[in-house]
């Protein structure tokens, strides 16, 4: 059973002393890319940062006085469903004003181009913002679910939901400022299930801390990771399991891994390449058409 949790950093930091520093040689990565048949791209919140979506472990990682991960738990929802819905309502409404950035677009364009050459690109994302999907990525595994899906606590029915606001009582609620009071919306006025007159309480269909990941999605991700011959890991702090161990596992079987990040992570030293800087700038040149590619 794979439960989502913060990593013990010890796993990623062990046995690093004999490792070479990762290279930032773009031409060398491009050579490998030109030969790769199956490319896995693991992404985290940093890939959406240049779209204006706050990351979790940066300055924008708070909503009111809570760290996002304190609200993203089943316990927080059962204690205070109104507060947790305000938090997710806020995130949904913010996302409706954001758009994919050059990193999302470069990934989607690369998938489409390589698919015409019989090569595959698969995105494995921890993000729940759907920006990869909106950019055009099709071969996409959303490990942590989506902000725009709901699941019924009573009947389990899952449905896409882009309604804004998601229910009348949440209209104008969810302000993130630390001095905002909870709206304390009665549970009957929170989003309710409309499937076959169920009326059960809906929750966001996202994977919260302490919950298990969808086993079908996880199995598909493992298959992609086991068969890829190049892996890119973009904008993730590599501290939340199980995604944190995906790229190090690929590197451990000798497959080149390239990290694109603003900073080093606990996994950086395990990788062949590290490209420092905003991925909206660093990623597109890595993924653009290589001169040896067929058209
Ligand atoms: P984090 O917020 O932990 O990490 C974001 C990473 O992106 C950091 O390593 C930043 O250095 C990097 N970064 C920021 N801006 C960037 C840019 N423009 N280009 C490249 N890199 C940039 O986000 P995740 O690793 O995705 O779960 O976090 C994993 C999970 O933990 C998330 O799914 C989330 C969080 O708690 C929840 O939903 C609560």
């Amino acid at each position: 059973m794979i439960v989502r949790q913060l990593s013990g950093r010890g796993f990623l930091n062990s046995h690093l002393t004999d490792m070479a520093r990762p290279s930032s040689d773009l031409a060398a990565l491009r050579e490998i890319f030109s030969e790769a048949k199956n490319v896995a791209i693991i992404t985290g919140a940093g890939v959406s940062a240049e779209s204006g979506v706050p990351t979790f472990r940066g300055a924008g990682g708070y909503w009111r006085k809570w760290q996002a991960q304190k609200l993203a738990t089943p316990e927080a929802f059962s204690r205070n469903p109104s507060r947790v819905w305000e938090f997710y309502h806020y995130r949904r409404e913010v996302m409706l004003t954001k758009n994919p950035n050059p990193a999302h677009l470069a990934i989607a364009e690369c998938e489409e181009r390589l698919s015409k050459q019989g090569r595959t690109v698969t995105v494995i994302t921890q993000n729940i913002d759907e920006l990869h999907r909106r950019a055009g990525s099709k071969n996409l595994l959303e490990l942590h679910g989506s902000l725009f899906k709901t699941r019924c606590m009573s009947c389990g029915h899952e449905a896409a939901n882009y309604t804004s606001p998601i229910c009348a009582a949440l209209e104008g609620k969810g302000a993130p400022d630390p001095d905002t009071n909870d709206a304390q919306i009665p549970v009957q006025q929170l989003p309710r299930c409309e499937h076959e007159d169920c009326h059960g309480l809906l929750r966001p269909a996202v994977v919260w801390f302490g919950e298990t990941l969808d086993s079908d999605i996880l199995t598909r991700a493992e298959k992609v990771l086991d068969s890829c011959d190049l892996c890119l890991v973009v904008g993730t702090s590599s501290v939340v399991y199980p995604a944190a161990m995906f790229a190090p596992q690929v590197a451990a079987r000798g497959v080149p891994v390239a990290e694109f990040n603003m900073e080093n992570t606990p996994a950086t030293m395990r990788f062949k390449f590290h490209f420092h800087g905003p991925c909206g700038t660093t990623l597109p040149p890595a993924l653009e058409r290589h001169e040896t590619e067929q058209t």
Side-chain angles (χ1 to χ4, degrees):
M1 187 192 289
I2 304 284
V3 176
R4 181 168 168 211
Q5 58 186 4
L6 285 168
S7 71
R9 285 179 180 237
F11 165 76
L12 289 171
N13 283 338
S14 57
H15 312 301
L16 288 180
T17 41
D18 54 345
M19 294 198 149
R21 290 190 74 74
S23 150
S24 57
D25 183 343
L26 181 63
L29 172 65
R30 300 263 306 143
E31 275 309 307
I32 296 170
F33 169 67
S34 70
E35 307 267 303
K37 298 271 184 293
N38 298 303
V39 183
I41 306 184
I42 299 164
T43 70
V47 77
S48 297
E50 289 156 82
S51 295
V53 184
T55 59
F56 294 96
R57 287 171 186 81
Y62 277 79
W63 178 83
R64 295 187 186 162
K65 50 186 181 286
W66 296 281
Q67 249 187 325
Q69 67 214 47
K70 294 278 186 275
L71 296 167
T73 69
E75 293 77 21
F77 188 67
S78 66
R79 251 195 324 267
N80 196 335
S82 169
R83 179 187 295 157
V84 173
W85 258 123
E86 272 199 273
F87 170 59
Y88 279 93
H89 164 64
Y90 166 71
R91 292 178 64 188
R92 285 165 59 94
E93 296 295 312
V94 167
M95 280 319 303
L96 292 173
T97 69
K98 307 298 181 197
N99 290 306
N101 68 51
H104 299 107
L105 296 169
I107 292 171
E109 190 278 329
C110 175
E111 176 190 335
E112 193 185 358
R113 192 178 83 241
L114 267 57
S115 75
K116 292 180 187 145
Q117 303 165 10
R119 304 158 71 199
T120 64
V121 173
T122 308
V123 178
I124 301 173
T125 189
Q126 300 164 80
N127 299 346
I128 59 175
D129 57 28
E130 295 199 359
L131 286 180
H132 284 298
R133 200 190 285 251
R134 282 171 53 198
S137 288
K138 297 191 176 62
N139 224 354
L140 174 64
L141 298 173
E142 292 171 313
L143 293 175
H144 294 163
S146 165
L147 271 176
F148 298 100
K149 275 194 194 139
T150 56
R151 182 159 69 248
C152 177
M153 301 287 288
S154 303
C155 73
H157 182 71
E158 273 200 21
N161 185 318
Y162 295 88
T163 313
S164 164
I166 187 165
C167 67
L170 280 165
E171 174 132 44
K173 306 292 190 240
D177 322 75
D179 49 2
T180 311
N181 291 325
D182 276 352
Q184 298 187 357
I185 299 167
V187 75
Q188 285 307 328
Q189 292 172 31
L190 289 173
R192 311 296 300 194
C193 182
E194 288 170 8
H195 181 64
E196 292 177 352
D197 287 332
C198 165
H199 301 301
L201 175 64
L202 293 178
R203 58 164 277 181
V206 298
V207 180
W208 282 330
F209 284 96
E211 294 188 319
T212 52
L213 274 73
D214 180 296
S215 61
D216 175 51
I217 292 180
L218 205 52
T219 305
R220 285 159 61 199
E222 276 160 4
K223 226 168 133 185
V224 170
L225 295 163
D226 285 347
S227 61
C228 69
D229 48 8
L230 173 64
C231 175
L232 311 183
V233 53
V234 186
T236 174
S237 56
S238 290
V239 297
V240 175
Y241 276 99
M245 67 186 183
F246 288 168
Q249 275 176 352
V250 172
R253 65 178 181 86
V255 170
V257 177
E259 181 175 58
F260 294 79
N261 204 305
M262 302 287 281
E263 56 190 30
N264 284 359
T265 71
T268 299
M269 293 301 284
R270 300 189 167 263
F271 302 147
K272 191 172 176 72
F273 298 99
H274 176 89
F275 297 94
H276 219 78
C279 60
T281 305
T282 56
L283 193 59
L287 296 182
E288 72 188 16
R289 193 179 162 275
H290 192 271
E291 61 205 16
T292 59
E293 270 179 45
Q294 319 150 19
T295 42

